[in-house]
């Protein structure tokens, strides 16, 4: 039985010393019952500070307590300018590579950074340091040699790895990951190295498939056939499409260091499972390909729906028992060569979300992740799983500004989700950097985004992460490039602590179809071997009874001694653990007390500054109010002098009156006699009485005037009414006068007509009619008096009837 000490050492660090119970027992047997711990036991329970294992792995990595700690490796790759960019004057020497680790950025004239620096905000030149910088002339083979060698070596030795590219849109991220058919990127080159390493040791069956995050599912025969048919249909669909070929192992230009001989095979596997010889193990490789589009996870190895009404199934991200995130129901395809992996990559690329923008004709609108899992198995007919390692290569979508890419509609929504997920990634890396200081530990928001939730295991010690920053040299995207460089500067300061392989209490498990763990016992180990102990003494049953009794007593005494020793040891351990916990609580109390005092001082300073600010504000307000009052009561100098002159004149007049009354001597003496003052006072009182009497009289006069005014007002109202009546009567008389005038005019006209009629009538009487002959004339002559009566009647009729002057001449003619 082995124990591992977790007590604090002399220097306050944690030791990692293993010791056995047998060693403690031997020390306890050598002590007396009344003695305290001897020096041997003290040396076992309290190891010296040098027992803390500190060993340097390389210039950046340090092993502390079996944990490898090293800063996050960040590589920079600069994309060369295209002919169109050179023609549009994008090359303004914005990016300058000083050496293999330092690069400087100079702001162009039209950038926001230069405008801010001209106003005194920020700088125009920035310098950044990277793990290694690759210029525009770097080939794919050289870039792979300088970045992926260590990651692939760790992956084949059983260590998880993550490589993700970061940069603005159109910076060459997808080219770095996948490359071209003739010149492959880091993904096909890594696959080629992996298959070169496991060549001749592949496990060709498909009955062991990755499950959850690090487990393995054992498939039945029907399930194996289903996996084989699915793989065959997927590969045949790629072949039938006749699309361009992807990079294969024959097209990759390997350097000697990337060959299979350069990969280390002597690394140990999980300590809980034992170690196996690398040549005796066999490997099974599985791949998966998915994307995160608008914060939804889609499997790129699913057949894309042919109808627009059909939607792609959305996958969920779950956590296993160890808290590691994984994608549920993700398709895993078994591969046996780089060509098969590249075909699967090509099939997934057809389903990727791509779109054309102003800055990139083939812009990735999602984060795509290509994952490879390598199962290390024993070389048996029914193999056991030794380790499961995972390597993920993530092609992050580029950050962009919508005013430059001119995206609208769906493209605008995609850009918002891309920028949001990258923002959360930046928050997580910033929080990880801040958490390195125990006094400033902060919450890391891994669960705010699907991308960071999948990255969480690699940043929390369950794998090794590597970041590749891609930038271009265009002056139009300088501000975005500067933001990417600042983000990478923060990421480079993050220190990763890789957990040891024997740290995890659970290794890879094999589960069945129902998801339950299948327990397996090594057939080479018998039950007797599991139960027996090499160090236990065998009892001789042929001994006589006295020897047996003596042996029983010895064993009884030994058992009591063992119990006492274990009890004392437990008490000592409890005591030391209690002291350690007490010291930890004391340190924590001191730390929090100090933080409380600092916080108290900070708040007091803030309150004092706020009080001073309030005092200044009150003073300023009082000053402004006084100035406003002064402006309201302000008297010009000329008016003041005039008033002063009036006051002086009144004072001079008073002096003259006092002199005239004899109250003041003509010589101008200041003192006056008491009698004069009393006389003046009495006179003033008399004057006041007179003034009061006059005021009373004036008030009475005012009252009489008011009554008189009221009476006059009433009389005025009556007069006005009488005047209105008279005016109405006058108007009636005026209308009667006008009517009389009209009648008079009519009478005059009638008189004139009457005169005219008389004249006409008189003229008719003077002219005698001619005698007529015949019978009728004789008859008329006999009636001589008739015309006269008619004539007299015609003369009287105009006087009796008016208004018929026009008819009278006719009557007279008759």
């Amino acid at each position: 039985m082995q124990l591992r000490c977790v007590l604090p050492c002399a220097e306050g660090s944690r030791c990692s010393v293993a010791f056995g119970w047998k060693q403690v027992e031997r020390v306890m047997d050598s002590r007396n019952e009344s003695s305290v711990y001897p020096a041997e036991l003290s040396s076992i329970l309290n190891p010296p500070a040098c027992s803390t294992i500190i060993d340097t792995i390389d210039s950046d990595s340090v092993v502390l307590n079996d944990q490898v700690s090293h800063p996050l490796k960040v590589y920079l790759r600069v994309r060369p300018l295209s002919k169109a960019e050179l023609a549009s004057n994008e090359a303004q020497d914005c990016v300058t590579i000083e050496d293999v680790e330092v690069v400087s950025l100079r702001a162009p004239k039209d950038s926001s950074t230069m405008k801010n620096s001209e106003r005194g905000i920020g700088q125009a030149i920035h310098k950044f340091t990277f793990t290694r910088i690759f210029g525009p002339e770097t080939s794919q083979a050289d870039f792979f040699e300088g970045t992926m060698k260590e990651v692939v070596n760790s992956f084949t030795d059983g260590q998880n790895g993550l490589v993700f590219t970061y940069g603005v849109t159109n910076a060459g991220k997808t080219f770095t990951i996948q490359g071209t058919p003739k010149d492959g990127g880091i993904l096909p080159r890594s696959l080629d190295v992996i298959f070169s390493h496991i060549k001749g040791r592949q496990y060709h069956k498909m009955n062991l498939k990755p499950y959850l995050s690090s487990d393995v599912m054992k498939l039945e025969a029907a399930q194996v056939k289903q996996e084989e048919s699915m793989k065959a249909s997927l590969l045949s669909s790629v072949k039938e499409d006749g699309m361009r070929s992807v990079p294969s192992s024959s097209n990759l230009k390997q350097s000697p260091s990337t060959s299979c001989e350069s990969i280390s095979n002597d690394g140990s596997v999980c300590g809980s499972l034992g170690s196996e010889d690398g040549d005796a193990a066999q490997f099974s490789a599985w791949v998966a390909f998915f994307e995160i589009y608008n914060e939804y996870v889609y499997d790129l190895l699913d057949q894309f729906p042919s109808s627009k009404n059909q939607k792609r199934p959305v996958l969920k991200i779950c956590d296993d028992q160890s808290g590691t995130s994984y994608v549920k129901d993700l398709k895993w395809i078994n591969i046996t060569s780089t060509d098969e992996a590249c075909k699967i990559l090509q099939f997934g690329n057809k389903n990727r979300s791509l779109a054309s923008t102003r800055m990139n004709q083939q812009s990735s609108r999602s984060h795509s992740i290509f994952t490879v899992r390598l199962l290390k198995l024993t070389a048996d007919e029914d193999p056991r799983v030794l380790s499961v390692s995972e390597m993920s290569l993530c092609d992050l979508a580029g950050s962009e500004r919508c005013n430059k890419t001119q995206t609208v509609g769906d493209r605008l929504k995609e850009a918002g989700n891309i920028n949001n997920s990258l923002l959360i990634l930046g928050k997580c890396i910033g929080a990880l950097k801040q958490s390195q200081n125990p006094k400033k530990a902060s919450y890391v928001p891994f669960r705010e985004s699907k991308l960071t939730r999948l990255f969480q295991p690699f940043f929390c010690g369950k794998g090794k992460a590597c970041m590749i920053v891609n930038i271009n040299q265009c002056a139009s995207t300088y501000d975005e490039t500067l933001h990417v460089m600042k983000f990478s500067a923060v990421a480079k300061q993050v220190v990763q602590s890789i957990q040891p392989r024997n740290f995890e209490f659970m290794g890879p498990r094999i589960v069945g179809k129902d998801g339950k763990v299948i327990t397996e016992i090594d057939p080479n180990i018998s039950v007797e071997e599991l139960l027996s102990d090499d160090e236990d003494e065998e009892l001789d049953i042929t001994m006589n009874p006295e020897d047996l009794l003596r042996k029983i007593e010895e064993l009884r005494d030994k058992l009591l001694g063992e119990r006492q020793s274990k009890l004392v040891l437990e008490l000592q351990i409890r005591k030391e653990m209690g002291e350690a916990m007490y010291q930890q609580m004391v340190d924590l109390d001191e730390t929090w007390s100090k933080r409380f005092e600092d916080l108290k001082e900070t708040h007091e300073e803030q309150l004092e500054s706020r009080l001073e600010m309030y005092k200044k504000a009150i003073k300023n307000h009082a000053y402004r109010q006084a100035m406003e009052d002064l402006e309201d009561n302000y008297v010009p100098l000329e008016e003041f002098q005039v008033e002063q002159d009036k006051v002086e004149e009144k004072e001079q007049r008073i002096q003259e009156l006092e002199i005239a009354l004899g109250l003041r001597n003509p010589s101008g003496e200041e003192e006056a006699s008491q009698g004069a003052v009393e006389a003046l006072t009495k006179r003033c009182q008399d004057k006041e009485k007179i003034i009061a009497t006059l005021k009373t009289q004036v008030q009475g006069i005012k009252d009489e005037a008011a009554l008189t005014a009221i009476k006059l007002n009433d009389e005025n109202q009556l007069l006005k009414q009488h005047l209105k009546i008279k005016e109405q009567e006058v108007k009636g008389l005026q209308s009667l006068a006008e009517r009389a005038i009209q009648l008079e005019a009519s009478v005059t006209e009638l008189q004139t007509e009457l005169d005219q009629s008389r004249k006409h009538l008189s003229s008719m009487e003077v002219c005698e009619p001619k005698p007529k002959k015949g019978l009728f004339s004789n008859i008329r002559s006999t009636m001589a008096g008739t015309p006269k009566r008619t004539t007299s009647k015609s003369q009287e009729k105009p006087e009796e009837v008016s208004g018929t002057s026009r008819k009278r001449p006719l009557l007279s003619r008759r």
Side-chain angles (χ1 to χ4, degrees), residues 592-654:
W592 281 105
S593 298
K594 186 177 180 180
R595 292 183 64 179
F596 178 75
E597 292 296 332
D598 296 340
L599 186 63
K600 183 178 179 181
E601 292 178 359
T602 304
H603 283 295
E604 287 179 355
E605 292 177 358
Q606 291 178 354
L607 290 174
E608 289 178 359
S609 62
R610 190 172 296 176
L611 183 60
E612 292 294 332
M613 182 178 65
Y614 287 154
K615 287 181 179 179
K616 291 181 180 179
I618 292 171
K619 288 181 179 179
N620 293 333
H621 178 71
Y623 176 75
R624 288 195 297 268
Q625 190 68 27
M627 291 300 296
E628 291 177 358
D629 295 341
L630 183 62
E631 290 178 357
D632 295 338
N633 301 326
Y634 174 73
V635 178
L637 181 60
E638 294 79 4
E639 294 182 5
F640 178 75
Q641 289 179 353
V642 171
E643 295 294 331
Q644 189 71 19
D645 295 338
K646 291 181 179 179
V647 171
E648 292 178 354
E649 290 178 358
K650 289 181 179 180
E651 289 179 354
Q652 187 176 2
R653 179 63 177 168
I654 290 170

Side-chain angles (χ1 to χ4, degrees), residues 19 288 351 377 428 511 713 746 793:
F19 54 89
N351 297 332
L377 313 172
C428 293
V511 299
N713 190 14
S746 301
K793 289 181 181 180

Side-chain angles (χ1 to χ4, degrees), residues 421-440:
S421 60
L422 295 178
L423 176 63
I424 296 173
L425 177 61
K427 288 182 179 179
C428 293
I429 291 179
L432 288 172
K433 174 184 172 297
Q434 190 175 4
S435 299
Q436 295 170 186
N437 187 356
K439 296 182 180 180
K440 297 182 179 179

